[in-house]
Amino acid sequence: MTAEYFNEHVEAEGVAYDAEADDTQIAVVGMACRYPGAVTPEEFWHNVVTGVDGVRTLTADELRAWGEDPARLSDPRYVREHGVVADFGDFDAEFFGVSERDADLLNPQHRIFLECAWEALERAGYDPLAVPGTTGLYAGAGRNGYASVIRERSDRFPGVDDLTLSLANDPEHLCSRVSYILGLTGPSVAVMTACSTSLVAVHTASLALLAGECDTALAGGVTLRAPQSGYWHREGGTMSPDGRCRTFSEDARGIVAGDGAGVVVLRRLRDAIEDGDHIHAVIRGSAVNNDGHDRAGYTAPGVRGQEEVIRRAQLAAEVSPGDISYIEAHGTGTPVGDPIEVTALAQAFGADGTGDRTARDTDAEGPVALGSVKTNIGHTDTAAGVAGLIKTVLALEDRTLPATLHFTGPNPRIDFAATPFSVTTRTRKWETSRLPRRAGVSSFGIGGTNAHVVLEEAPDAVPAALAPAPAEQLLVLSARTPTALDAMAGRLAEHLRGHPELPLDAVARTLQLGRHAFGHRRYLVCADRAQALAALAAPAAEDSAVRSPGDPGGIPAVLAFAGAGAWEIRSARQLYASFPAFRDAADACCRALAGPLGQDVQRLLTADAEAAAEPEPERVARFTVAYALARTLMDWGVVPTSVTGRGPGALVAASVAGALPLADALRIADAAARGGDPLREAVRAAAWGTPELPWTHAVTGARVSPGEAADPGLWTELLERAPSQPADVPALLTGSAGADRLVLEIGPGRTDNAHAALLDAVGRAWRGGATIDWDRLHTGPDRRRVPLPTYPFERRTHLVRPEPAPETAGVPETAAALAPVETERPTPDAPEPVEQVLLALFRQVLGTPEDVADPDFFEHGGDSLAAVELVSLIETRLGVGVSLDDVFDHPTVSGLARVVEGSLT
């Protein structure tokens, strides 16, 4: 559906399409993800809306299997909570052409991201191996310890060197590997900005699309912890003591880590509309910046930088703060980070900190909703920004604002009353009179690289003047194995049951154009959803394998024209109205007919009312429809290697083979209605020639020579003595076609519906290996793609683990068992002076010169994270707990020593 057609023929329902703005806007047309408790966007959204917290307790057995020291598990400071992606070590290596050994070496992050890239393109309705135009990829991965595990198990991989490990594990090879396997020829750029990586990737991909560097772009990120482990909680640190993220809450005490991967498919909005893409949401604008040095330290967030990136994104999107009704926050749930983020948001939205919101649009409604997906899945690091983006896209599409979990009351350092924001504590419909709905998504990285994206809901339009699509549709399925093909059929049936609103023609088009054709295939012709479900539930043909997958023409095809029966005229008219190739061939027949007969046939194919079924026009019309069907098949990519036919079908075969000019064939068909001498005279007068295609006699199986074709006796037998019942066309070629040929029936046999017969022939040819020009099947303005289930990967486990740790009795299995206990203080025989120990720890954390006897922690480069490390070291070395406030209030060695000595006495 072109943008021009959209503007002229579409009635908007609440959200209008702005043709003038689309040159700077980006459409989100596909998504795929793996997050704790979810392997599809649908599962992810269900969990978010229903308030599922995907973070769970790692069992002692799981941790031992990854080599975790059992002694750690009983330490009260060790938190065993993590957002785990299920089966992250499984991979369909054979599908992607990766050897078993290389699959074991390949980092799980690279594998899962590759699968997500494939799924995202399929969800966008594109064959991942044949995306039109140039496709770019912008993404990043975290760093994990999988390469170290492989080094420890070097006995399993003799000859593997550091370069091999680097290529299989380092984040900078993530995008290039995916581009290599999928054949993507656009820019392939690794993005590495820590926690903001995947949203920076979305921003970079959007700019590349607008600059014309690519026509389609994938953007996202992935992080997987391998080896799996919990973490040490340090008082005052960034990690949560109980494994729960409480963004903006009064009891927020830090983050919890999670695994995840997310990919979005982006296209220029105008291109997406013209190509019929399913648009989930629109990126109106985005921005990226850095905090610079205007903050407490390298790892600390900065108010000014965050405020500036939000303002810049709104400027790029050409929106005001009053147009935004939801913010998906970075929202780590740290006592310091959350107040800084809200302060920056408030300043960007015009609040002055005293409750005055006059700088915001005066007609803006109520507070801006505020939320964070980290309360559902944990902090997924390099995949965090795209997780927030996907959540917000789904919220816009569903017009629902999901609750932020674990919020008991506002952080006392945040004065929400002085801001336009309110934390969303319950899931509710996204009601607003300001349309279209718009949202902002933030992601801030350690090191200060900030990203913000402004999203808008997709144009919500209902086609108002589209001609109805033909009822019969051709659904095609293919897979690498028969079992995957069966699984694919089951997935599609389940999806159609759950989405009765899907137009069957859009489903058919998406399957035809948006899926790669593999070596095991099945097809079904259906007129409605009930027929589709019945066909999908039926057993597939025993042999689904394509016997000639390397030949673009597939199995040699024989066009077999049946002689008896008549077409249902309405279906022939539908073909004439819908498909140019059919119409051109039928018109050629009508022009070749002299006088009123041609007009009668034309009227049969175009009149709304039933024309009189007189013998002459009916017989010629039967020829015309069969001939036009054959030409349509050939126009769509079915290349016959021979033709045959019985009764009147033999006449069509002769014409299609090139042995008989079309005008002569029509005169013979007309004469056959009168029989006798008129038929013989028409045969003698015809300009018979040598066939361009082999033409086989339906009874003898021999090739028909020009001399035999010109014999009136042959045609008297074929046309005047044709059987009254439809012939068993495949049986006509017994002994001549053999098992390596595919017979495509053209004629009323299994059905008198010409359109269904045409689609059945196309489906049989495609199942035989033919390459079909699917665009030829879809010639109208409505060319929509719709999201459908993706390929059912047949995964096997490819995971290298360290030697498991020995079992230890009494290891607690739940977080509740890890209640804090008083740390036993060491009792050395000759303890070092506290000041001397602290001086050594200062030098360890800060690298202070040895000639500085009483260094100040912050004057020598210390910051909050370094202070957390110092506090942890003091507890480990001296067996006494000090707080971050103690370090801030007493930053020198001598001052802190007095605090420690006071605790020891």
Side-chain angles (χ1 to χ4, degrees):
M1 186 187 302
T2 66
E4 290 75 15
Y5 188 93
F6 194 103
N7 285 331
E8 184 178 353
H9 295 283
V10 169
E11 295 176 353
E13 241 188 27
V15 181
Y17 166 61
D18 184 356
E20 295 182 357
D22 69 2
D23 286 339
T24 61
Q25 295 177 13
I26 301 297
V28 180
V29 300
M31 300 179 289
C33 65
R34 303 278 195 283
Y35 286 109
V39 297
T40 66
E42 291 80 10
E43 291 180 2
F44 177 57
W45 180 240
H46 174 268
N47 290 348
V48 169
V49 169
T50 57
V52 174
D53 186 342
V55 176
R56 68 171 178 86
T57 303
L58 298 171
T59 69
D61 288 342
E62 286 177 309
L63 292 169
R64 278 196 297 266
W66 280 102
E68 188 67 282
D69 182 357
R72 281 187 163 194
L73 306 186
S74 57
D75 192 305
R77 297 167 298 174
Y78 187 76
V79 182
R80 289 194 275 152
E81 304 296 302
H82 190 72
V84 178
V85 169
D87 304 321
F88 73 83
D90 294 354
F91 181 57
D92 193 342
E94 190 175 355
F95 178 88
F96 290 107
V98 178
S99 71
E100 297 287 308
R101 176 179 178 273
D102 287 349
D104 289 344
L105 289 172
L106 190 60
N107 198 292
Q109 295 185 129
H110 292 229
R111 299 185 223 143
I112 200 170
F113 188 82
L114 174 60
E115 289 187 352
C116 283
W118 180 282
E119 291 176 351
L121 286 169
E122 283 199 331
R123 284 177 169 274
Y126 289 93
D127 175 354
L129 299 181
V131 182
T134 302
T135 303
L137 174 57
Y138 303 81
R143 295 187 183 275
N144 60 26
Y146 190 69
S148 298
V149 173
I150 293 175
R151 286 191 181 93
E152 294 172 4
R153 304 299 303 273
S154 58
D155 55 305
R156 289 185 50 184
F157 304 99
V160 171
D161 56 18
D162 287 345
L163 176 60
T164 302
L165 281 180
S166 172
L167 294 174
N169 286 273
D170 288 352
E172 53 264 39
H173 299 294
L174 175 77
C175 293
S176 296
R177 182 179 301 279
V178 173
S179 294
Y180 167 72
I181 291 176
L182 300 187
L184 310 181
T185 58
S188 191
V189 180
V191 180
M192 290 184 281
T193 61
C195 322
S196 59
T197 290
S198 53
L199 203 62
V200 171
V202 170
H203 167 79
T204 309
S206 299
L207 293 183
L209 286 165
L210 296 177
E213 294 180 354
C214 53
D215 302 300
T216 300
L218 292 92
V222 58
T223 186
L224 293 170
R225 179 175 291 179
Q228 282 190 339
S229 66
Y231 59 88
W232 291 102
H233 168 66
R234 295 173 175 176
E235 189 61 39
T238 59
M239 303 303 293
S240 168
D242 62 357
R244 292 292 170 267
C245 180
R246 297 177 168 85
T247 303
F248 305 126
S249 183
E250 59 191 351
D251 51 355
R253 295 183 63 191
I255 64 175
V256 59
D259 296 333
V263 179
V264 292
V265 181
L266 308 177
R267 304 192 73 215
R268 291 179 287 270
L269 179 59
R270 177 177 288 273
D271 293 346
I273 291 172
E274 290 183 345
D275 293 338
D277 295 339
H278 178 89
I279 301 172
H280 296 278
V282 175
I283 296 176
R284 284 194 61 96
S286 59
V288 167
N289 73 354
N290 193 276
D291 290 323
H293 64 262
D294 190 12
R295 46 191 163 136
Y298 174 74
T299 60
V303 170
R304 183 177 298 177
Q306 292 183 16
E307 174 193 351
E308 183 67 18
V309 80
I310 295 167
R311 288 187 185 274
R312 287 178 178 268
Q314 292 177 354
L315 183 65
E318 297 182 325
V319 300
S320 68
D323 297 323
I324 308 294
S325 51
Y326 175 70
I327 291 291
E328 173 65 21
H330 184 60
T332 55
T334 58
V336 176
D338 284 357
I340 287 177
E341 181 170 7
V342 174
T343 299
L345 276 167
Q347 292 179 4
F349 274 64
D352 64 1
T354 64
D356 181 7
R357 304 176 205 174
T358 55
R360 202 164 171 259
D361 284 6
T362 55
D363 57 347
E365 327 173 317
V368 179
L370 192 61
S372 173
V373 76
K374 289 181 178 65
T375 62
N376 299 93
I377 60 173
H379 189 356
T380 53
D381 191 38
T382 42
V386 75
L389 184 84
I390 291 174
K391 170 195 167 181
T392 309
V393 166
L394 293 169
L396 285 165
E397 200 165 28
D398 196 42
R399 298 177 178 178
T400 299
L401 291 173
T404 296
L405 305 186
H406 313 308
F407 185 86
T408 58
N411 185 319
R413 299 185 183 182
I414 302 175
D415 184 7
F416 279 110
T419 77
F421 306 104
S422 174
V423 178
T424 305
T425 58
R426 61 178 182 84
T427 298
R428 56 184 172 86
K429 295 306 293 181
W430 193 336
E431 302 289 352
T432 179
S433 63
R434 297 295 303 276
L435 296 175
R437 292 168 181 82
R438 291 181 177 133
V441 181
S442 293
S443 188
F444 308 133
I446 284 184
T449 299
N450 308 308
H452 190 79
V453 172
V454 176
L455 288 172
E456 177 178 292
E457 62 182 323
D460 183 16
V462 178
L466 296 178
E472 298 78 18
Q473 297 295 332
L474 172 63
L475 309 188
V476 295
L477 303 173
S478 76
R480 291 189 69 259
T481 67
T483 51
L485 188 61
D486 289 342
M488 184 178 291
R491 284 187 177 189
L492 181 60
E494 182 181 359
H495 190 77
L496 292 179
R497 278 191 293 268
H499 297 274
E501 77 284 357
L502 287 179
L504 202 58
D505 60 319
V507 173
R509 184 172 190 270
T510 304
L511 291 173
Q512 293 161 6
L513 288 168
R515 298 295 184 269
H516 189 70
F518 292 101
H520 289 267
R521 304 181 184 182
R522 66 180 292 190
Y523 75 94
L524 49 139
V525 177
C526 50
D528 54 37
R529 190 170 66 99
Q531 289 185 12
L533 291 173
L536 289 168
E542 281 189 22
D543 184 9
S544 63
V546 176
R547 290 192 287 276
S548 303
D551 184 353
I555 303 172
V558 180
L559 293 187
F561 298 91
W567 296 109
E568 194 274 317
I569 193 63
R570 282 189 297 270
S571 65
R573 288 175 182 158
Q574 189 176 58
L575 290 173
Y576 185 90
S578 301
F579 301 113
F582 185 94
R583 185 166 53 251
D584 291 345
D587 287 347
C589 291
C590 293
R591 286 192 301 270
L593 289 166
L597 185 57
Q599 297 172 8
D600 289 343
V601 173
Q602 188 89 39
R603 191 160 48 249
L604 277 170
L605 293 173
T606 58
D608 292 333
E610 293 290 337
E614 299 178 3
E616 290 186 24
E618 190 278 332
R619 179 171 288 213
V620 176
R622 189 188 309 169
F623 174 97
T624 299
V625 171
Y627 178 83
L629 284 173
R631 289 302 178 191
T632 304
L633 275 175
M634 296 165 73
D635 180 70
W636 290 357
V638 177
V639 182
T641 55
S642 63
V643 294
T644 190
R646 190 164 192 171
L651 192 60
V652 185
S655 182
V656 171
L660 182 63
L662 178 60
D664 290 344
L666 287 161
R667 277 191 288 271
I668 294 173
D670 178 27
R674 298 186 296 276
D677 289 339
L679 173 59
R680 294 184 185 90
E681 291 175 6
V683 172
R684 290 190 187 100
W688 295 98
T690 302
E692 298 172 2
L693 279 175
W695 169 27
T696 305
H697 195 291
V699 176
T700 66
R703 292 179 65 167
V704 179
S705 68
E708 292 173 310
D711 180 4
L714 172 68
W715 294 102
T716 299
E717 177 185 353
L718 288 173
L719 299 178
E720 292 186 347
R721 301 179 188 138
S724 59
Q725 297 297 323
D728 182 4
V729 180
L732 300 179
L733 299 174
T734 301
S736 63
D740 60 341
R741 289 178 182 257
L742 179 67
V743 178
L744 302 179
E745 295 183 53
I746 306 295
R750 304 183 206 178
T751 176
D752 63 355
N753 184 309
H755 186 227
L758 175 64
L759 294 181
D760 184 73
V762 173
R764 284 171 57 79
W766 176 79
R767 190 177 64 186
T771 301
I772 306 299
D773 186 350
W774 296 114
D775 272 321
R776 297 281 190 172
L777 276 72
H778 303 275
T779 57
D782 187 5
R783 301 165 64 81
R784 285 173 289 174
R785 291 175 167 88
V786 292
L788 295 175
T790 57
Y791 190 90
F793 295 120
E794 297 181 298
R795 300 179 178 92
R796 295 176 53 193
T797 299
H798 292 278
L799 204 57
V800 181
R801 297 176 184 266
E803 291 290 347
E807 293 190 26
T808 301
V811 175
E813 278 294 340
T814 65
L818 298 179
V821 296
E822 185 177 352
T823 304
E824 184 178 351
R825 298 175 182 173
T827 54
D829 294 334
E832 288 184 85
V834 169
E835 194 165 328
Q836 185 175 333
V837 172
L838 291 179
L839 182 59
L841 295 180
F842 269 51
R843 289 172 178 167
Q844 179 179 336
V845 173
L846 303 176
T848 52
E850 293 189 4
D851 59 347
V852 178
D854 192 18
D856 183 291
F857 188 80
F858 297 103
E859 288 181 2
H860 285 270
D863 57 20
S864 57
L865 284 184
V868 170
E869 182 181 357
L870 178 65
V871 167
S872 177
L873 290 172
I874 291 172
E875 184 175 4
T876 301
R877 184 69 180 275
L878 296 174
V880 64
V882 296
S883 68
L884 281 181
D885 289 340
D886 290 332
V887 178
F888 278 86
D889 293 341
H890 308 278
T892 63
V893 167
S894 58
L896 193 58
R898 289 191 292 271
V899 174
V900 173
E901 288 168 349
S903 300
L904 289 172
T905 56

